[in-house]
Amino acid sequence: MQPDTIFLSKEDENEIVAAIQLAEKNTSGEIRVHIEQTTSKVPFDRALEVFYELKMNETQLQNGVLIYLASADKQFVICGDKGINEVVATDFWDSTKEIMAAQFKQGNFKQGLIDGITQAGEQLKTYFPWQTDDTNELSNEISKG
């Protein structure tokens, strides 16, 4: 597979970042997307590693959500920090993954990511509503490995 710039166009990436900004508008939660071509590790283990590399574990309310995608491996993981994991339904991440996988199977990677971001944003809004003193603690840009 070609580099990730081919996987998602710059316009696609801009739309994904806009979806993150929109999702975070109503919550104190933080959502990040990380894309890399491949990993030699178990995808969940690599996602957790990236979670810490991006300092997502340092949000004040422990409410960061990472969507990790290894494009050439056709693997993706959603992981949330302790604060969100303690309050969402036990099947929340699985149901979000299913929504995303349905789009991915059709080759709609941008839409799958946007759907996952939107779903995560709705849950974050429910449990971590935006407060007047909220600050954007983490970048909304897509990180790449």
Side-chain angles (χ1 to χ4, degrees):
M1 183 174 245
Q2 295 299 312
D4 289 320
T5 53
I6 303 299
F7 176 70
L8 291 171
S9 70
K10 190 64 184 157
E11 294 79 25
D12 290 346
E13 288 186 11
N14 289 340
E15 288 182 50
I16 291 165
V17 170
I20 292 170
Q21 292 168 334
L22 184 62
E24 288 184 357
K25 198 177 243 181
N26 298 309
T27 179
S28 63
E30 296 288 335
I31 301 169
R32 296 288 314 260
V33 172
H34 181 84
I35 300 172
E36 53 192 23
Q37 288 211 268
T38 187
T39 180
S40 59
K41 299 179 180 179
V42 173
F44 186 78
D45 293 346
R46 177 62 183 141
L48 285 179
E49 190 175 86
V50 170
F51 192 90
Y52 287 97
E53 286 173 7
L54 296 175
K55 300 187 184 323
M56 295 190 68
N57 58 310
E58 296 180 12
T59 60
Q60 185 177 358
L61 297 175
Q62 297 179 310
N63 58 358
V65 175
L66 174 67
I67 298 174
Y68 167 84
L69 183 68
S71 59
D73 297 341
K74 296 183 170 38
Q75 297 284 327
F76 73 101
V77 174
I78 307 167
C79 55
D81 206 351
K82 181 181 176 187
I84 184 102
N85 285 338
E86 288 177 348
V87 295
V88 295
T90 53
D91 68 339
F92 174 69
W93 300 122
D94 290 333
S95 63
T96 303
K97 263 187 98 169
E98 288 170 19
I99 289 167
M100 294 173 66
Q103 291 288 353
F104 290 170
K105 285 176 185 165
Q106 297 173 34
N108 301 327
F109 298 103
K110 175 190 77 174
Q111 193 58 51
L113 288 166
I114 289 172
D115 289 353
I117 290 162
T118 302
Q119 187 81 0
E122 286 299 313
Q123 288 296 309
L124 286 168
K125 179 173 73 172
T126 299
Y127 296 105
F128 300 96
W130 184 83
Q131 305 290 323
T132 54
D133 61 345
D134 280 341
T135 59
N136 190 10
E137 297 178 78
L138 300 172
S139 169
N140 295 332
E141 297 301 312
I142 296 170
S143 62
K144 296 181 180 175

